[in-house]
């Protein structure tokens, strides 16, 4: 069934890989994973999202339970499928109304999906659970949306609904790729519940909360990581694809089973989870200096990893590396060695650099990057030989 779906929509293979990268990242860096099941009534969403038309499904189970059944037991045990709750979040009716208003506004021209970008068939189905609400909104507005635009409004509403709940629960919402693409183009706090009295109440008198959310800083790290990756491989990715999952997929040759096991190994060690937890804690505590210090630290680690492959990220190719490599030595000895290395021919300096890189204990981010680059180069070399 999935092969048939990819035959009809070949570009969706890339979306499958992006979604897998999301899942691998979640396994590595988050304590708990909640797969929301609030739309899993008899609306046949799994048939549309996973298989296209004509799928065969077990009607006695929700699509999320069926999805969990496809995963290894030690992985599915980490995933909860209960629904989000919340008293300060938008409800289903308000999320429908907000989504309809967005698609009816001038924002439409910027956020509608492009030709060939396929949203799940369920949003075109006559028996979709929220269709009656949207058709009434459209009727009351004079039928201003056509069938395609109405389907995209229904597609958007799930994102607004889940983003609102995730925010209240202090969770990170990792949306379906196309839905995330649409949400990223909306004004901030579109998903916030409208105040009953028509007045917005700030957290502090006259203050507005402008903290980055988890999606913002992960995209920042994605962008920087992929910039560094391109400097040594000519390969880059869309910044909506999390670099952690992308690196794991590359290092395992794109094999989902192997990739999940590698992600589980990272999870058990907890090293990546601890690093991202520190960034999140700084945001929650409004500690901007600590947050920016951590980002700077992570950027420096990635730059050092890029220099391992000969990239010149800042000025002198080897300067920062040698400062690290000799930091444990007495200062006079370190100065002599550093000066001597600078006098070597370039090809010798690069060899000494790579050989001596084993002196440094690599961080989790550096190991991830090094394995990613090595996998890309190995794949290209294999193609060249073939």
């Amino acid at each position: 069934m999935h092969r048939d779906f990819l035959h009809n929509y070949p570009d969706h293979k890339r979306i499958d890989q992006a979604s897998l990268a999301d899942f691998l990242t979640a396994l590595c860096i988050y304590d708990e994973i909640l797969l929301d099941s609030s739309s899993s009534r008899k609306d046949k969403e799994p048939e549309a999202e996973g298989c296209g038309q004509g799928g065969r499904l077990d009607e006695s189970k929700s699509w999320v339970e069926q999805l969990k059944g496809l995963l290894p037991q030690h992985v599915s045990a980490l995933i909860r499928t209960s629904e989000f709750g919340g008293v300060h979040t938008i409800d289903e009716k308000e999320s429908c109304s907000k989504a309809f208003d967005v698609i009816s506004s001038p924002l439409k021209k910027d956020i509608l999906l492009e030709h060939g970008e396929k949203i799940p068939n369920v949003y075109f189905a006559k028996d979709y659970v929220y269709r009656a609400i949207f058709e009434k909104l459209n009727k009351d507005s004079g039928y201003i949306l056509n069938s395609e635009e109405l389907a995209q409004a229904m597609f958007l509403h799930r994102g607004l609904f889940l983003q609102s709940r995730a925010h209240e629960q202090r969770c990170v919402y990792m949306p379906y790729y196309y839905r995330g693409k649409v949400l990223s183009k909306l004004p901030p706090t579109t998903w916030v519940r409208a105040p009953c009295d028509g007045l917005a109440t700030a957290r502090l008198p006259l203050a507005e909360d402008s903290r980055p959310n988890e999606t913002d800083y992960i995209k920042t790290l994605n962008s920087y990581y992929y910039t560094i990756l391109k400097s040594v491989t000519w390969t880059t990715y869309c910044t909506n694809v999390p670099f952690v999952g992308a690196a794991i997929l590359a290092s395992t040759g794109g094999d989902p089973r192997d990739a999940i096991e590698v992600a589980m190994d990272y999870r058990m060690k907890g090293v990546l989870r601890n690093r991202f937890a520190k960034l999140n804690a700084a945001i929650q505590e409004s500690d901007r200096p600590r947050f920016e210090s951590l980002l700077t630290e992570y950027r420096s680690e990635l730059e050092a990893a890029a220099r391992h492959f000969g990239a010149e990220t800042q000025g002198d190719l080897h300067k920062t590396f040698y400062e690290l490599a000799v930091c444990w030595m007495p200062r006079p000895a370190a100065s002599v060695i550093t000066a001597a290395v600078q006098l070597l021919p370039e090809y010798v300096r690069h060899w000494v650099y790579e050989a001596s890189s084993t002196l440094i204990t690599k961080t989790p981010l550096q190991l991830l990057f090094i394995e990613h680059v090595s996998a890309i180069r190995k794949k290209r070399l294999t193609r060249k030989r073939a």
Side-chain angles (χ1 to χ4, degrees), residues 374-384:
S374 298
I376 291 173
R377 290 186 173 182
K378 181 179 179 181
K379 185 176 181 180
R380 287 184 175 172
L381 185 60
T382 302
R383 285 179 178 173
K384 184 177 179 181

Side-chain angles (χ1 to χ4, degrees), residues 28 248 251-252 257-267:
C28 289
I248 292 174
S251 67
T252 56
R257 291 180 184 274
D258 290 347
I260 286 176
E261 291 307 317
V262 170
M264 289 296 290
D265 185 55
Y266 272 112
R267 180 181 182 85

Side-chain angles (χ1 to χ4, degrees), residues 86-106:
V87 295
H88 301 296
T89 59
I90 59 176
D91 57 21
E92 295 278 12
K93 185 176 180 180
E94 186 175 352
S95 67
C96 291
S97 177
K98 282 179 176 287
F100 184 86
D101 289 343
V102 167
I103 298 298
S104 303
S105 74

Side-chain angles (χ1 to χ4, degrees), residues 276-351:
F276 280 89
K278 289 179 181 179
L279 282 170
N280 187 50
I283 290 176
Q284 298 299 335
E285 297 165 15
S286 296
D287 191 340
R288 182 169 180 172
R290 180 155 59 101
F291 174 78
E292 294 184 349
S293 175
L294 287 167
L295 278 183
T296 300
E297 177 186 337
Y298 297 167
R299 285 197 297 265
S300 297
E301 290 177 9
L302 290 174
E303 286 179 2
R307 285 190 293 273
H308 173 84
F309 293 99
E312 186 171 1
T313 56
Q314 283 185 358
D316 187 347
L317 178 65
H318 309 293
K319 181 179 179 182
T320 303
F321 166 78
Y322 283 113
E323 288 176 354
L324 288 171
V326 301
C327 65
W328 53 275
M329 296 181 181
R331 181 164 297 181
S335 300
V336 171
I337 291 175
T338 301
V341 167
Q342 298 303 317
L343 296 176
L344 293 173
E346 175 59 29
Y347 74 94
V348 177
R349 279 196 286 160
H350 188 66
W351 176 83

